[in-house]
Amino acid sequence: MRKKIQLGVLLLLAVVLVLLPKVSPFFIVFVATEILILGLFATSFNLMFGYCGLLSFGHGAFFGTGAYVAGLLLQHLQWDFIWVLAVAPLAAAVGATLIGWLCVRLNEVYFSMLTLAFGMMVFAIAHQWRSVTGGSDGLAGFPLTEVGIGLDIVLANPFHFYYLTLLIVALSLAAIYLLTISPFGLILRAMRENTERVAFAGIPANRYRLYGFILSGLFSGLAGALFATFSRVAVPEMSHWTQSAEPILMTILGGSQYFFGPLAGAAVFLGLKTLITSYTSEWMIYLGVILLGMVLFLPKGIFGLLERWLGGRT
Amino acid sequence: MLRKLLVMAVVAFMAIGFSLDAQAEGTVKIGAIYLLSGAFSTYGQFAKNGIELAADEINSSGGILGKKIEFVLEDSTGKANVGIQAARKLVYQENVDLLMGLDSSGVAKGLVPVVPELKKPFIITHAASPDVTGSLCNKYVFRISLNIAQNTKAAALIAKELGVKKWTTIGPDYDFGHQSWEFFGNYLKELDPEVVLSADPSFPKFKAEDFTPFINKVISDKPEGVFISLWGGDLINFIRQANNLGFFKQNFKVLMSLGAATEVLTALGDQMPEGIWVGTRYWFAANDTPTNNNFVAAYKKRFGDYPSYNSQGAYAAVYAYKTAIEKAKSFEPDKIIAALENLTVDTPSGELLIRAEDHQAVVNGNWGITKADKNYPIRILDPIRIFPGKDITPTPQESGCNMQ
């Protein structure tokens, strides 16, 4: 029964997302695009947090790397977009390999602190290396290229970009989902519960954590590349700790124990932000109060609440 | 139950919010993007004051071609991607006719290339990056405020007159600080090939709290002139600490490219040293014209303060739009854009000409020497030096704009 409800909801969501641009006001397409991209970022973050039990405070590093690599490739080489989307996440994955190799040995707050430090190191590089990254102003005004492989998609067209994003995010989420239910995903989850017991079972825990970290960085980089193209800029703030904090907030809002929790959290976070800024310039305090209330009263996130409503576990 | 109701209420609220489309007939809607949150949110507040004042004045005297002005503000938060999304929201959701704003160069550089997609005219009133009306220029974007090139050209002209040869800088460690020093140095070298520019200038972190090491370093380097491009809260902190360390009693000349901002002078009061060359994009006492006198009086009456340059910039932009629309006799974006080109606007900062070639306004630079005056609560400029726009604005060829 529960499976059927889930499948139904998922199908309904897919229909809504596909039909959205046809029925919604134009600007909603932009908000939805942003939600999808940051939802992917939050989901890839949650691969470490929800499944591996490691709270990374430095995922902005991979998001930013993806954004900058995409920006640089578009600015200097004008590659077809499909290749940009292939290479930028790989660059982020390389970064995740280096950073992860050092970080996964640590647990809990030490892991969080080290990822935070590496994240800010990437920010400092983006901010200071003016000749390559454009310094504090970042990369701006890069051209949008063809998508490539014969696809007739215009990146500058918000509808086209929305559907492209929807497709890429859907494929990525499917891939991440398959990972989480695979034996590999089970090992990650087992480590979340008790790393030592997993190690005693003969599984090289750190190596599996590193694999998780690299995959998480890879998809974060993909989200960053999409975000830079959507925003038309790659700026140092995209690797700042405040950027790293966004997926954390989104994940907690949506529910870290649910696969679609981070995506739902992204929708609520960005929806509220877009809405409140229309009414007041002191939007941060209102958003803060609302988020505080949601975290306090919905400890399992939106999905936890929904599940209770639908009469699942209590 | 209560919780269910609460959630439903939030959802309903969101649905209503998104479907609201408040475009009343007979209004012209301006969307403005400024820094409204964080440490530098006073700049957004100043801009808001300027827009409010201009809109009320125009509305109470018949509006623009009979239409009343309505304005919506959005927060850039100082991030380019946020600013771009805000502009999209203003155009597609709020249906604004005209755009204006931008405090941060970073936001401006990111947003300007996207404006042609939005197909609305955009007047920049603060962000100073030369690229915006240079390599990144486009048909839709205009700037009526002083840019880095203009302000540093004026600074270089003063530096030449001061006659000292060995210069260094203290500037914020982001693109604005580095670019200010590059432009200042290049202009000064042109004017006087004998000057020596420090190979090791000081760039404290933006929003740094402690400037002591940099102050001590400059004092021990013994330069003959120091060009300072710190601004806002950074400049206030710097001057307080520099006073304590005797920085202004040393044997070197000091130029502050944004030292005459009224918010800085107000915060410092009599801690602002006298006899220092300071610049600003607008000085309330620089022009004895009816436009300026009316503006200063109305501003002071309404907000209780002397107008800062950001208020003036925003105020002037609204009037620039009014002048252009009346010239075009139309609210069509393309016609407004055509009317803005080569337009002369009477602003509190003097008459300015918006060039057709790169859409940069040829606008006056204001500099002066700080002086105490018992009639004012803040340090004032005496003498005032006004650099006419034509003397300090690089040619369109030099600005590198290729207008399409």
Side-chain angles (χ1 to χ4, degrees), chain A residues 90-241:
Chain A
L90 287 178
V94 170
T97 311
L98 296 174
I99 294 175
W101 188 72
L102 293 162
C103 291
V104 294
R105 293 143 206 277
L106 300 173
N107 283 313
E108 294 168 4
V109 72
Y110 305 100
F111 173 83
S112 302
M113 286 297 113
L114 201 60
T115 49
L116 173 66
F118 278 114
M120 289 309 285
M121 208 165 87
V122 171
F123 169 78
I125 292 169
H127 191 267
Q128 301 295 343
W129 197 7
R130 288 179 74 215
S131 56
V132 172
T133 62
S136 64
D137 285 351
L139 303 172
F142 45 75
L144 297 182
T145 54
E146 304 268 313
V147 171
I149 56 168
L151 289 172
D152 189 19
I153 295 174
V154 182
L155 290 180
N157 179 326
F159 292 120
H160 287 193
F161 193 78
Y162 171 78
Y163 281 119
L164 183 69
T165 305
L166 184 59
L167 179 72
I168 292 167
V169 171
L171 291 176
S172 305
L173 291 186
I176 297 173
Y177 182 73
L178 289 178
L179 274 174
T180 60
I181 57 167
S182 70
F184 170 74
L186 285 177
I187 293 174
L188 291 191
R189 262 190 276 184
M191 286 194 296
R192 178 187 73 202
E193 300 305 329
N194 193 328
T195 314
E196 278 182 2
R197 283 180 73 172
V198 173
F200 280 140
I203 293 166
N206 282 352
R207 203 191 302 163
Y208 272 87
R209 277 181 168 183
L210 180 60
Y211 295 156
F213 199 82
I214 294 170
L215 287 166
S216 178
L218 178 86
F219 286 107
S220 298
L222 179 60
L226 283 171
F227 196 61
T229 317
F230 169 68
S231 303
R232 309 293 168 76
V233 284
V235 285
E237 285 82 15
M238 288 176 180
S239 53
H240 196 252
W241 70 262

Side-chain angles (χ1 to χ4, degrees), chain B residues 146-182:
Chain B
L146 203 66
N147 65 31
I148 290 180
Q150 293 167 318
N151 199 24
T152 53
K153 177 72 185 278
L157 288 167
I158 295 171
K160 164 114 197 317
E161 282 171 24
L162 293 173
V164 296
K165 305 285 178 195
K166 204 181 142 200
W167 285 87
T168 188
T169 194
I170 303 179
D173 189 14
Y174 73 106
D175 288 6
F176 172 77
H178 290 274
Q179 272 185 339
S180 292
W181 174 237
E182 280 161 23

